[in-house]
mmCIF file of all heavy atoms in Angstrom:
data_model
loop_
_atom_site.group_PDB
_atom_site.id
_atom_site.type_symbol
_atom_site.label_atom_id
_atom_site.label_comp_id
_atom_site.label_asym_id
_atom_site.label_seq_id
_atom_site.Cartn_x
_atom_site.Cartn_y
_atom_site.Cartn_z
ATOM 1 N N ARG A 1 0.837 -1.196 0.000
ATOM 2 C CA ARG A 1 0.000 0.000 0.000
ATOM 3 C C ARG A 1 0.878 1.255 0.000
ATOM 4 O O ARG A 1 1.754 1.414 0.849
ATOM 5 C CB ARG A 1 -0.927 0.009 1.216
ATOM 6 C CG ARG A 1 -1.935 1.154 1.203
ATOM 7 C CD ARG A 1 -2.917 1.030 2.354
ATOM 8 N NE ARG A 1 -3.914 2.090 2.345
ATOM 9 C CZ ARG A 1 -5.029 2.069 1.631
ATOM 10 N NH1 ARG A 1 -5.290 1.025 0.869
ATOM 11 N NH2 ARG A 1 -5.880 3.077 1.670
ATOM 12 N N GLY A 2 0.665 2.138 -0.947
ATOM 13 C CA GLY A 2 1.462 3.350 -1.065
ATOM 14 C C GLY A 2 2.663 3.222 -1.976
ATOM 15 O O GLY A 2 3.248 4.225 -2.388
ATOM 16 N N TYR A 3 3.042 1.981 -2.303
ATOM 17 C CA TYR A 3 4.228 1.789 -3.142
ATOM 18 C C TYR A 3 3.987 2.286 -4.567
ATOM 19 O O TYR A 3 4.876 2.887 -5.185
ATOM 20 C CB TYR A 3 4.630 0.316 -3.161
ATOM 21 C CG TYR A 3 5.807 0.022 -4.074
ATOM 22 C CD1 TYR A 3 7.091 0.393 -3.709
ATOM 23 C CD2 TYR A 3 5.621 -0.619 -5.294
ATOM 24 C CE1 TYR A 3 8.173 0.132 -4.536
ATOM 25 C CE2 TYR A 3 6.693 -0.878 -6.134
ATOM 26 C CZ TYR A 3 7.959 -0.500 -5.742
ATOM 27 O OH TYR A 3 9.028 -0.755 -6.578
ATOM 28 N N GLY A 4 2.791 2.018 -5.110
ATOM 29 C CA GLY A 4 2.504 2.448 -6.474
ATOM 30 C C GLY A 4 2.573 3.953 -6.616
ATOM 31 O O GLY A 4 3.157 4.473 -7.581
ATOM 32 N N GLU A 5 2.008 4.683 -5.662
ATOM 33 C CA GLU A 5 2.059 6.141 -5.705
ATOM 34 C C GLU A 5 3.493 6.631 -5.570
ATOM 35 O O GLU A 5 3.901 7.589 -6.240
ATOM 36 C CB GLU A 5 1.193 6.720 -4.593
ATOM 37 C CG GLU A 5 -0.301 6.404 -4.740
ATOM 38 C CD GLU A 5 -1.115 7.017 -3.621
ATOM 39 O OE1 GLU A 5 -0.784 8.143 -3.199
ATOM 40 O OE2 GLU A 5 -2.065 6.368 -3.159
ATOM 41 N N GLN A 6 4.278 5.989 -4.718
ATOM 42 C CA GLN A 6 5.685 6.356 -4.570
ATOM 43 C C GLN A 6 6.437 6.119 -5.877
ATOM 44 O O GLN A 6 7.286 6.925 -6.289
ATOM 45 C CB GLN A 6 6.333 5.547 -3.444
ATOM 46 C CG GLN A 6 7.787 5.872 -3.182
ATOM 47 C CD GLN A 6 8.448 4.896 -2.244
ATOM 48 O OE1 GLN A 6 9.133 3.979 -2.651
ATOM 49 N NE2 GLN A 6 8.222 5.091 -0.948
ATOM 50 N N LEU A 7 6.119 5.013 -6.550
ATOM 51 C CA LEU A 7 6.783 4.674 -7.805
ATOM 52 C C LEU A 7 6.532 5.739 -8.867
ATOM 53 O O LEU A 7 7.435 6.114 -9.614
ATOM 54 C CB LEU A 7 6.277 3.314 -8.286
ATOM 55 C CG LEU A 7 7.003 2.670 -9.471
ATOM 56 C CD1 LEU A 7 8.415 2.277 -9.085
ATOM 57 C CD2 LEU A 7 6.231 1.448 -9.943
ATOM 58 N N LEU A 8 5.307 6.250 -8.925
ATOM 59 C CA LEU A 8 4.968 7.250 -9.938
ATOM 60 C C LEU A 8 5.641 8.586 -9.674
ATOM 61 O O LEU A 8 5.782 9.398 -10.602
ATOM 62 C CB LEU A 8 3.456 7.442 -10.002
ATOM 63 C CG LEU A 8 2.634 6.247 -10.483
ATOM 64 C CD1 LEU A 8 1.172 6.634 -10.613
ATOM 65 C CD2 LEU A 8 3.168 5.705 -11.806
ATOM 66 N N ARG A 9 6.075 8.838 -8.452
ATOM 67 C CA ARG A 9 6.765 10.093 -8.154
ATOM 68 C C ARG A 9 8.217 10.073 -8.610
ATOM 69 O O ARG A 9 8.864 11.113 -8.688
ATOM 70 C CB ARG A 9 6.692 10.395 -6.653
ATOM 71 C CG ARG A 9 5.302 10.794 -6.181
ATOM 72 C CD ARG A 9 5.354 11.424 -4.802
ATOM 73 N NE ARG A 9 5.733 10.470 -3.768
ATOM 74 C CZ ARG A 9 4.880 9.749 -3.062
ATOM 75 N NH1 ARG A 9 3.581 9.878 -3.286
ATOM 76 N NH2 ARG A 9 5.303 8.916 -2.133
ATOM 77 N N ARG A 10 8.728 8.886 -8.921
ATOM 78 C CA ARG A 10 10.111 8.795 -9.397
ATOM 79 C C ARG A 10 10.171 9.068 -10.907
ATOM 80 O O ARG A 10 9.221 8.792 -11.630
ATOM 81 C CB ARG A 10 10.680 7.395 -9.148
ATOM 82 C CG ARG A 10 10.604 6.908 -7.721
ATOM 83 C CD ARG A 10 11.126 5.492 -7.661
ATOM 84 N NE ARG A 10 10.848 4.826 -6.400
ATOM 85 C CZ ARG A 10 11.039 3.536 -6.181
ATOM 86 N NH1 ARG A 10 11.523 2.771 -7.158
ATOM 87 N NH2 ARG A 10 10.756 3.005 -5.005
ATOM 88 N N PRO A 11 11.297 9.584 -11.396
ATOM 89 C CA PRO A 11 11.454 9.709 -12.852
ATOM 90 C C PRO A 11 11.426 8.328 -13.504
ATOM 91 O O PRO A 11 11.939 7.353 -12.952
ATOM 92 C CB PRO A 11 12.833 10.368 -13.008
ATOM 93 C CG PRO A 11 13.126 10.984 -11.671
ATOM 94 C CD PRO A 11 12.448 10.118 -10.651
ATOM 95 N N ALA A 12 10.812 8.238 -14.663
ATOM 96 C CA ALA A 12 10.770 6.961 -15.378
ATOM 97 C C ALA A 12 12.178 6.610 -15.849
ATOM 98 O O ALA A 12 12.825 7.416 -16.522
ATOM 99 C CB ALA A 12 9.817 7.048 -16.564
ATOM 100 N N PRO A 13 12.693 5.432 -15.500
ATOM 101 C CA PRO A 13 14.038 5.057 -15.962
ATOM 102 C C PRO A 13 14.044 4.828 -17.464
ATOM 103 O O PRO A 13 13.023 4.480 -18.067
ATOM 104 C CB PRO A 13 14.319 3.758 -15.196
ATOM 105 C CG PRO A 13 12.967 3.197 -14.891
ATOM 106 C CD PRO A 13 12.062 4.375 -14.699
ATOM 107 N N ALA A 14 15.208 5.034 -18.084
ATOM 108 C CA ALA A 14 15.323 4.851 -19.535
ATOM 109 C C ALA A 14 16.656 4.186 -19.851
ATOM 110 O O ALA A 14 17.660 4.447 -19.188
ATOM 111 C CB ALA A 14 15.221 6.191 -20.252
ATOM 112 N N PRO A 15 16.692 3.312 -20.858
ATOM 113 C CA PRO A 15 17.950 2.674 -21.247
ATOM 114 C C PRO A 15 18.826 3.638 -22.042
ATOM 115 O O PRO A 15 18.404 4.754 -22.383
ATOM 116 C CB PRO A 15 17.489 1.505 -22.123
ATOM 117 C CG PRO A 15 16.200 1.986 -22.714
ATOM 118 C CD PRO A 15 15.566 2.867 -21.680
ATOM 119 N N GLN A 16 20.035 3.212 -22.361
ATOM 120 C CA GLN A 16 20.925 4.026 -23.184
ATOM 121 C C GLN A 16 20.332 4.191 -24.574
ATOM 122 O O GLN A 16 19.687 3.285 -25.112
ATOM 123 C CB GLN A 16 22.298 3.374 -23.277
ATOM 124 C CG GLN A 16 23.049 3.310 -21.949
ATOM 125 C CD GLN A 16 24.397 2.628 -22.088
ATOM 126 O OE1 GLN A 16 24.661 1.939 -23.068
ATOM 127 N NE2 GLN A 16 25.248 2.817 -21.103
ATOM 128 N N ASP A 17 20.574 5.355 -25.168
ATOM 129 C CA ASP A 17 20.010 5.648 -26.492
ATOM 130 C C ASP A 17 20.421 4.609 -27.529
ATOM 131 O O ASP A 17 19.605 4.209 -28.374
ATOM 132 C CB ASP A 17 20.465 7.038 -26.945
ATOM 133 C CG ASP A 17 19.778 8.156 -26.175
ATOM 134 O OD1 ASP A 17 18.836 7.851 -25.417
ATOM 135 O OD2 ASP A 17 20.180 9.323 -26.337
ATOM 136 N N GLU A 18 21.670 4.160 -27.482
ATOM 137 C CA GLU A 18 22.153 3.203 -28.482
ATOM 138 C C GLU A 18 21.355 1.901 -28.438
ATOM 139 O O GLU A 18 20.927 1.378 -29.470
ATOM 140 C CB GLU A 18 23.639 2.927 -28.266
ATOM 141 C CG GLU A 18 24.249 2.001 -29.298
ATOM 142 C CD GLU A 18 25.739 1.783 -29.058
ATOM 143 O OE1 GLU A 18 26.321 2.478 -28.200
ATOM 144 O OE2 GLU A 18 26.316 0.917 -29.737
ATOM 145 N N ARG A 19 21.137 1.381 -27.228
ATOM 146 C CA ARG A 19 20.359 0.149 -27.087
ATOM 147 C C ARG A 19 18.911 0.363 -27.511
ATOM 148 O O ARG A 19 18.292 -0.501 -28.134
ATOM 149 C CB ARG A 19 20.404 -0.344 -25.646
ATOM 150 C CG ARG A 19 21.771 -0.796 -25.160
ATOM 151 C CD ARG A 19 21.712 -1.244 -23.710
ATOM 152 N NE ARG A 19 20.729 -2.297 -23.524
ATOM 153 C CZ ARG A 19 19.849 -2.315 -22.525
ATOM 154 N NH1 ARG A 19 19.811 -1.339 -21.649
ATOM 155 N NH2 ARG A 19 18.995 -3.311 -22.409
ATOM 156 N N LEU A 20 18.379 1.524 -27.169
ATOM 157 C CA LEU A 20 16.995 1.815 -27.498
ATOM 158 C C LEU A 20 16.798 1.917 -29.006
ATOM 159 O O LEU A 20 15.818 1.397 -29.556
ATOM 160 C CB LEU A 20 16.576 3.112 -26.809
ATOM 161 C CG LEU A 20 15.084 3.439 -26.748
ATOM 162 C CD1 LEU A 20 14.303 2.290 -26.126
ATOM 163 C CD2 LEU A 20 14.869 4.717 -25.946
ATOM 164 N N LEU A 21 17.731 2.545 -29.685
ATOM 165 C CA LEU A 21 17.637 2.670 -31.144
ATOM 166 C C LEU A 21 17.709 1.300 -31.819
ATOM 167 O O LEU A 21 17.008 1.041 -32.806
ATOM 168 C CB LEU A 21 18.747 3.582 -31.655
ATOM 169 C CG LEU A 21 18.562 5.079 -31.365
ATOM 170 C CD1 LEU A 21 19.865 5.830 -31.585
ATOM 171 C CD2 LEU A 21 17.454 5.655 -32.233
ATOM 172 N N GLU A 22 18.544 0.410 -31.297
ATOM 173 C CA GLU A 22 18.616 -0.944 -31.848
ATOM 174 C C GLU A 22 17.276 -1.661 -31.686
ATOM 175 O O GLU A 22 16.836 -2.379 -32.595
ATOM 176 C CB GLU A 22 19.727 -1.727 -31.148
ATOM 177 C CG GLU A 22 21.135 -1.232 -31.466
ATOM 178 C CD GLU A 22 22.194 -1.943 -30.647
ATOM 179 O OE1 GLU A 22 21.816 -2.760 -29.770
ATOM 180 O OE2 GLU A 22 23.385 -1.693 -30.864
ATOM 181 N N ALA A 23 16.636 -1.460 -30.536
ATOM 182 C CA ALA A 23 15.334 -2.098 -30.302
ATOM 183 C C ALA A 23 14.269 -1.525 -31.234
ATOM 184 O O ALA A 23 13.444 -2.262 -31.781
ATOM 185 C CB ALA A 23 14.916 -1.904 -28.838
ATOM 186 N N PHE A 24 14.277 -0.227 -31.426
ATOM 187 C CA PHE A 24 13.326 0.386 -32.355
ATOM 188 C C PHE A 24 13.492 -0.176 -33.764
ATOM 189 O O PHE A 24 12.503 -0.458 -34.462
ATOM 190 C CB PHE A 24 13.516 1.903 -32.384
ATOM 191 C CG PHE A 24 12.858 2.620 -31.244
ATOM 192 C CD1 PHE A 24 13.558 3.539 -30.483
ATOM 193 C CD2 PHE A 24 11.540 2.381 -30.918
ATOM 194 C CE1 PHE A 24 12.957 4.210 -29.426
ATOM 195 C CE2 PHE A 24 10.920 3.040 -29.872
ATOM 196 C CZ PHE A 24 11.632 3.957 -29.117
ATOM 197 N N GLU A 25 14.730 -0.359 -34.175
ATOM 198 C CA GLU A 25 14.974 -0.889 -35.516
ATOM 199 C C GLU A 25 14.472 -2.324 -35.633
ATOM 200 O O GLU A 25 13.854 -2.701 -36.630
ATOM 201 C CB GLU A 25 16.464 -0.820 -35.847
ATOM 202 C CG GLU A 25 16.792 -1.234 -37.274
ATOM 203 C CD GLU A 25 18.237 -0.986 -37.636
ATOM 204 O OE1 GLU A 25 19.051 -0.714 -36.721
ATOM 205 O OE2 GLU A 25 18.573 -1.071 -38.829
ATOM 206 N N ARG A 26 14.706 -3.140 -34.593
ATOM 207 C CA ARG A 26 14.236 -4.532 -34.621
ATOM 208 C C ARG A 26 12.713 -4.597 -34.679
ATOM 209 O O ARG A 26 12.148 -5.455 -35.349
ATOM 210 C CB ARG A 26 14.731 -5.291 -33.388
ATOM 211 C CG ARG A 26 16.198 -5.622 -33.396
ATOM 212 C CD ARG A 26 16.508 -6.690 -32.344
ATOM 213 N NE ARG A 26 16.032 -6.314 -31.019
ATOM 214 C CZ ARG A 26 16.739 -5.633 -30.135
ATOM 215 N NH1 ARG A 26 17.962 -5.228 -30.444
ATOM 216 N NH2 ARG A 26 16.248 -5.342 -28.940
ATOM 217 N N LYS A 27 12.050 -3.690 -33.944
ATOM 218 C CA LYS A 27 10.590 -3.713 -33.876
ATOM 219 C C LYS A 27 9.935 -2.994 -35.052
ATOM 220 O O LYS A 27 8.718 -3.060 -35.210
ATOM 221 C CB LYS A 27 10.119 -3.072 -32.571
ATOM 222 C CG LYS A 27 10.650 -3.739 -31.309
ATOM 223 C CD LYS A 27 10.074 -5.115 -31.108
ATOM 224 C CE LYS A 27 10.542 -5.704 -29.778
ATOM 225 N NZ LYS A 27 9.995 -7.056 -29.529
ATOM 226 N N GLY A 28 10.731 -2.297 -35.877
ATOM 227 C CA GLY A 28 10.166 -1.570 -37.003
ATOM 228 C C GLY A 28 9.392 -0.337 -36.579
ATOM 229 O O GLY A 28 8.315 -0.061 -37.108
ATOM 230 N N ILE A 29 9.960 0.432 -35.608
ATOM 231 C CA ILE A 29 9.280 1.605 -35.064
ATOM 232 C C ILE A 29 10.204 2.810 -35.174
ATOM 233 O O ILE A 29 11.387 2.738 -34.810
ATOM 234 C CB ILE A 29 8.882 1.393 -33.594
ATOM 235 C CG1 ILE A 29 7.934 0.191 -33.473
ATOM 236 C CG2 ILE A 29 8.229 2.637 -33.010
ATOM 237 C CD1 ILE A 29 7.634 -0.181 -32.046
ATOM 238 N N SER A 30 9.689 3.922 -35.638
ATOM 239 C CA SER A 30 10.454 5.168 -35.686
ATOM 240 C C SER A 30 10.677 5.681 -34.275
ATOM 241 O O SER A 30 9.783 5.639 -33.433
ATOM 242 C CB SER A 30 9.703 6.212 -36.511
ATOM 243 O OG SER A 30 10.327 7.475 -36.408
ATOM 244 N N SER A 31 11.890 6.182 -33.997
ATOM 245 C CA SER A 31 12.212 6.678 -32.655
ATOM 246 C C SER A 31 11.837 8.147 -32.468
ATOM 247 O O SER A 31 11.792 8.636 -31.338
ATOM 248 C CB SER A 31 13.707 6.503 -32.370
ATOM 249 O OG SER A 31 14.490 7.212 -33.319
ATOM 250 N N THR A 32 11.561 8.865 -33.551
ATOM 251 C CA THR A 32 11.293 10.297 -33.438
ATOM 252 C C THR A 32 10.037 10.613 -32.626
ATOM 253 O O THR A 32 10.064 11.508 -31.764
ATOM 254 C CB THR A 32 11.206 10.934 -34.834
ATOM 255 O OG1 THR A 32 12.461 10.742 -35.508
ATOM 256 C CG2 THR A 32 10.905 12.415 -34.744
ATOM 257 N N PRO A 33 8.897 9.930 -32.829
ATOM 258 C CA PRO A 33 7.720 10.243 -31.994
ATOM 259 C C PRO A 33 7.984 10.059 -30.507
ATOM 260 O O PRO A 33 7.532 10.862 -29.682
ATOM 261 C CB PRO A 33 6.658 9.266 -32.509
ATOM 262 C CG PRO A 33 7.075 8.970 -33.919
ATOM 263 C CD PRO A 33 8.559 8.963 -33.897
ATOM 264 N N TYR A 34 8.714 9.011 -30.160
ATOM 265 C CA TYR A 34 9.068 8.804 -28.751
ATOM 266 C C TYR A 34 9.935 9.948 -28.250
ATOM 267 O O TYR A 34 9.699 10.499 -27.161
ATOM 268 C CB TYR A 34 9.795 7.469 -28.601
ATOM 269 C CG TYR A 34 10.510 7.292 -27.280
ATOM 270 C CD1 TYR A 34 9.809 7.010 -26.117
ATOM 271 C CD2 TYR A 34 11.901 7.390 -27.205
ATOM 272 C CE1 TYR A 34 10.464 6.844 -24.897
ATOM 273 C CE2 TYR A 34 12.565 7.227 -26.001
ATOM 274 C CZ TYR A 34 11.843 6.955 -24.847
ATOM 275 O OH TYR A 34 12.499 6.797 -23.651
ATOM 276 N N ALA A 35 10.942 10.332 -29.033
ATOM 277 C CA ALA A 35 11.839 11.411 -28.628
ATOM 278 C C ALA A 35 11.066 12.718 -28.445
ATOM 279 O O ALA A 35 11.266 13.455 -27.474
ATOM 280 C CB ALA A 35 12.951 11.578 -29.664
ATOM 281 N N ARG A 36 10.162 13.041 -29.392
ATOM 282 C CA ARG A 36 9.401 14.282 -29.297
ATOM 283 C C ARG A 36 8.452 14.286 -28.102
ATOM 284 O O ARG A 36 8.129 15.341 -27.550
ATOM 285 C CB ARG A 36 8.602 14.489 -30.591
ATOM 286 C CG ARG A 36 9.455 14.756 -31.815
ATOM 287 C CD ARG A 36 10.126 16.108 -31.750
ATOM 288 N NE ARG A 36 10.859 16.406 -32.985
ATOM 289 C CZ ARG A 36 11.603 17.488 -33.152
ATOM 290 N NH1 ARG A 36 11.741 18.358 -32.163
ATOM 291 N NH2 ARG A 36 12.232 17.690 -34.303
ATOM 292 N N SER A 37 7.986 13.103 -27.678
ATOM 293 C CA SER A 37 7.118 13.044 -26.499
ATOM 294 C C SER A 37 7.896 13.348 -25.227
ATOM 295 O O SER A 37 7.325 13.790 -24.230
ATOM 296 C CB SER A 37 6.453 11.663 -26.391
ATOM 297 O OG SER A 37 7.392 10.667 -26.011
#
């Protein structure tokens, strides 16, 4: 109880850009919409 609310107050973790771009390419997804968000 209370853990979920505490979790949302933390910044969302993100992987390194290089790894993320490789994943986008494998999945066939453009990275620009994510970046602009």
Side-chain angles (χ1 to χ4, degrees):
R1 186 174 182 84
Y3 177 74
E5 296 181 37
Q6 181 190 98
L7 189 67
L8 294 185
R9 289 195 292 268
R10 305 177 192 170
Q16 295 179 343
D17 288 351
E18 183 179 351
R19 294 179 56 225
L20 194 54
L21 287 165
E22 291 174 355
F24 279 130
E25 185 172 12
R26 287 196 306 270
K27 301 292 185 180
I29 300 173
S30 171
S31 60
T32 300
Y34 166 76
R36 293 291 185 184
S37 72

